[in-house]
Amino acid sequence: MTDKLEDTEKRFLKNFGLHIGMFLGLLVVQTFALELFDLATWAKVAVTVAPVVPILFLVLSVVRNYRQMDEFMQRVHGESLLWTIGILGAASFTYGMLERVLGIVPPISVIWLLPTVAFMSGLVNFILMRHYDGE
Amino acid sequence: MENKLRVLRAENKWSQAELAQRLGVSRQAVNAIETGKHDPSLTLAFSIAEVFSLSIEEVFDPKS
């Protein structure tokens, strides 16, 4: 990896850690604030959605990191996202049908969407990288 | 698209990482190009040819 790519990667990992840390910190604040204080509705809403702010900065970091990648890495990451969207889209559609039409599975909260996308794109990225990096 | 990247790199006694450093790309990118799994953009193809002081046609064979 070149110095420029290494610096970009280090900066990304630093920002990633910072934003995840802020997210977890705000989750703790959210839990305690809602538990301990009798807040007005607007304050409850603000405290509840506050952890989303560092997540938005995290998304910005991911996009910036993508723009700094070389063309091959962009290709692999792009393919990972396409696979992730396709697989998750098909899976959620299938689950939605079973839930709505047959009612044989319980509803799943959409709060799991972002973690699932992050995990799955990481996994697919790992698999694709092994595929492309082999002989 | 076939290329002579591996041969040229061996002639210069460069590792994939060293060539990647000279090109400003990742080692994985060099490996993918060498193994024919990734066709480089025109810009990167020009850079590769320039690193070896050759023309693009001397490094890449578009007919294969």
Side-chain angles (χ1 to χ4, degrees):
Chain A
M1 197 182 281
T2 65
D3 294 342
K4 189 187 161 212
L5 291 176
E6 255 177 33
D7 288 346
T8 306
E9 196 68 21
K10 275 182 194 164
R11 198 176 325 121
F12 171 68
L13 289 174
K14 193 178 139 195
N15 284 338
F16 187 87
L18 182 73
H19 294 136
I20 289 292
M22 284 168 66
F23 169 73
L24 294 174
L26 285 169
L27 270 188
V28 172
V29 170
Q30 180 204 67
T31 307
F32 282 103
L34 294 176
E35 196 72 33
L36 299 176
F37 304 109
D38 187 21
L39 301 170
T41 306
W42 68 266
K44 277 185 187 170
V45 171
V47 167
T48 304
V49 299
V52 176
V53 176
I55 293 298
L56 292 175
F57 280 105
L58 184 63
V59 171
L60 196 65
S61 270
V62 170
V63 173
R64 278 190 185 141
N65 186 51
Y66 177 83
R67 286 177 181 158
Q68 296 297 319
M69 288 174 185
D70 65 50
E71 61 183 49
F72 171 70
M73 287 299 186
Q74 284 185 341
R75 173 184 169 181
V76 173
H77 280 75
E79 268 186 47
S80 302
L81 278 177
L82 285 175
W83 276 110
T84 300
I85 291 168
I87 292 167
L88 276 184
S92 61
F93 200 72
T94 307
Y95 196 94
M97 297 266 231
L98 294 173
E99 181 209 327
R100 205 179 170 93
V101 179
L102 296 180
I104 56 172
V105 290
I108 299 176
S109 171
V110 288
I111 202 170
W112 296 108
L113 184 62
L114 187 62
T116 309
V117 167
F119 173 77
M120 190 159 235
S121 63
L123 180 68
V124 176
N125 195 64
F126 174 76
I127 293 167
L128 284 178
M129 200 57 86
R130 280 183 67 96
H131 165 71
Y132 282 120
D133 202 23
E135 281 297 312
Chain B
M1 184 165 66
E2 279 186 14
N3 64 73
K4 296 175 188 161
L5 203 55
R6 180 161 285 174
V7 176
L8 293 168
R9 186 171 58 77
E11 282 173 4
N12 283 275
K13 297 187 172 63
W14 292 338
S15 65
Q16 287 185 342
E18 280 175 289
L19 178 57
Q21 179 91 26
R22 288 166 191 270
L23 294 169
V25 297
S26 59
R27 183 204 59 76
Q28 290 90 339
V30 170
N31 185 59
I33 296 167
E34 277 188 5
T35 52
K37 289 177 179 172
H38 175 68
D39 288 334
S41 66
L42 197 54
T43 314
L44 182 54
F46 268 113
S47 298
I48 292 168
E50 196 181 325
V51 160
F52 294 112
S53 304
L54 296 169
S55 65
I56 286 186
E57 292 86 348
E58 288 172 298
V59 182
F60 297 96
D61 181 8
K63 293 185 206 94
S64 57

